[in-house]
DNA sequence: CCCGGCACAC
């Protein structure tokens, strides 16, 4: 089109730019941008917004900001698009700064702006900020549409406030299937499987039709609550009562449900008998179950599939090596680790966030860059000593076994959530619950330690890991050690 | 006929 003599009009260009953003075609998007500038087509607000959106979706923040800054009379849409760009890249501070600037410039935020911000709070687990955004919505009398309400509901659920989420859900009069699904998934995430199942009965009564996402949420909820029979029944219901064709995600949930509960052979049967070819996700779910239940035979099958399907993914090689460790096959351990070293692979670093006084602080395992790192490390020492007094012995099995014992214990002491927890303990008032969001799953050692720490420091500690919530209180965890 | 925001899984 660009090469042709006929000049594309603005509408055409907007659509093309939008499409680039949608499929993540950054190079093509950049070419369009250059073409627009060169051909002296008037850069309308619509076109500028489309470009900001495109760059945002491609996570090219610098370019997004350049276009954004070049626009004189910004409307609410372009502000929101820029905000969404920051939100996508999890630039929480920038997103909120921009929001403040937007209001300083006399532009009133609308539902879309607020949805973006709320979703960002949900993503990073910023409960206080999320609540603040909620009050802004109320104060500004921004009309809550279903999407915004759903985003709010999700924020409360993902920030560990399941009661707040339930309250919003109960008060909503315009529940669509998306909102039901959000509520069910939220309950599942908190280990409230029974409550999630009850919602299915309710949805049937009110006559809303569940969809495939509903069942992913429900199966997931069953899985986390150990409701094996109920999960199987759900799968049956989905197929026979609601005539939905199971997708690979549903089979994945079933493998997870069975595997997690220790029915590994049954889980493997599902994989062998399902009409879809297993992907990496399916095998990694099985692998996780094998690790949990110490089944090296099936674990090796799964790990081999993963290394074959995604050779570039170091996590699977790590798992493979751990499987061999479990089976005491040290030559194989050495082989896998050597192969990884040759390919220059590294484990994805653990990362934990904690929100304190409206700021989200990030900690990476072994991190020394936080401005208050010295105080944090002192606190970690204090935690370690108190744990020892309480009779805690570091479980070092989560760390690869070729480092010596002392080093392993140190690595665990500096797992990112311990740093975030230490920061939370020193920077919030006694008794305040500590909320942490981390990118990986909680390891066994940290789980045990956190239970004890909640008792030692008399704090509720709420940890959201890659998959679910753990509410630690007075020496116990809401997951009942089943996760 | 087109500039922006929600729900699932990894």
């Amino acid at each position: 089109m660009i090469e042709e003599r006929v000049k594309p009009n603005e509408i055409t260009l907007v659509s093309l730019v939008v499409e680039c953003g949608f499929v993540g075609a950054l190079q093509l998007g950049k070419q369009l941008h250059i073409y627009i500038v060169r051909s002296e087509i008037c850069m309308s607000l619509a076109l500028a917004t489309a470009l900001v959106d495109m760059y945002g979706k491609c996570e090219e923040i610098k370019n997004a900001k350049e276009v954004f800054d070049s626009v004189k009379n910004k409307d609410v849409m372009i502000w929101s698009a820029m905000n969404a760009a920051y939100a996508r890249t999890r630039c929480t501070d920038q997103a909120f700064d921009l929001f403040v600037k937007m209001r300083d410039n006399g532009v009133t935020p609308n539902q879309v702006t607020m949805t973006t911000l709320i979703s960002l709070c949900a993503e990073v687990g910023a409960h206080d900020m999320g609540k603040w955004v909620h009050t802004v919505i109320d104060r500004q009398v921004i009309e809550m549409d279903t999407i915004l309400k759903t985003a709010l509901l999700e924020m409360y659920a993902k920030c560990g406030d399941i009661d707040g989420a339930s309250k919003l859900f109960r008060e909503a009069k315009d529940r669509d299937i998306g909102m039901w699904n959000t509520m069910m998934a939220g309950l599942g995430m908190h280990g409230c499987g029974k409550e999630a199942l009850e919602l299915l009965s309710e949805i049937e009564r009110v006559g809303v039709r569940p969809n495939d996402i509903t069942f992913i949420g429900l199966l997931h909820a069953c899985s986390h609550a150990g409701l094996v029979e109920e999960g199987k029944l759900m799968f049956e219901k989905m197929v026979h009562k609601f005539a939905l064709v199971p997708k690979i995600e549903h089979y994945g949930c079933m493998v997870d449900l069975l595997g997690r509960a220790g029915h590994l052979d049954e889980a493997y049967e599902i994989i062998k008998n399902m009409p879809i070819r297993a992907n990496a996700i399916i095998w990694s779910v099985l692998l996780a179950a094998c690790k949990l239940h110490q089944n090296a035979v099936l674990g090796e099958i799964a790990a081999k599939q993963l290394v074959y399907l995604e050779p570039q993914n170091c996590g699977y090689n790590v798992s493979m090596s751990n499987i061999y460790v479990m089976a005491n096959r040290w030559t194989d351990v050495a082989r896998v680790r050597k192969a990884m070293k040759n390919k220059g692979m590294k484990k994805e670093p653990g990362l934990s966030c904690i929100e304190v006084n409206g700021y989200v602080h990030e900690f990476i395992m072994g991190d020394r860059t936080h401005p208050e790192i010295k105080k944090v490390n002192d606190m970690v020492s204090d935690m370690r000593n108190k744990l020892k007094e309480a009779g805690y012995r570091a479980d070092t099995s989560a760390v690869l076994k070729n480092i010596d014992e002392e080093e392993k214990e140190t690595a665990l002491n500096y797992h990112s959530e311990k740093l975030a927890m230490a920061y939370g303990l020193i920077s919030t008032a006694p008794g305040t619950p500590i909320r942490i969001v981390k990118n990986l799953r909680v390891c066994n050692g940290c789980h045990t330690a956190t239970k004890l720490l909640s008792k030692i420091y008399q704090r509720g500690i709420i940890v959201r890991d890659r998959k679910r919530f753990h509410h630690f209180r007075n020496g116990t965890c809401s997951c009942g050690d089943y996760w």
Side-chain angles (χ1 to χ4, degrees), chain A residues 206-225:
Chain A
V206 299
V208 175
R209 205 181 144 68
N211 60 15
D212 56 334
I213 295 172
T214 315
F215 286 95
I216 293 172
L218 283 173
L219 292 173
H220 189 227
C222 289
S223 183
H224 279 299

Side-chain angles (χ1 to χ4, degrees), chain A residues 68 72-77 79 97-110 113 140:
Chain A
F68 176 78
K72 298 260 156 38
N73 296 312
K74 301 183 185 68
D75 65 355
V76 64
M77 281 197 194
W79 281 99
D97 285 350
L98 195 82
F99 179 66
V100 173
K101 272 196 200 118
M102 167 184 180
R103 299 211 292 171
D104 288 348
N105 276 275
V107 177
T108 312
N110 63 13
T113 328
Q140 297 248 337

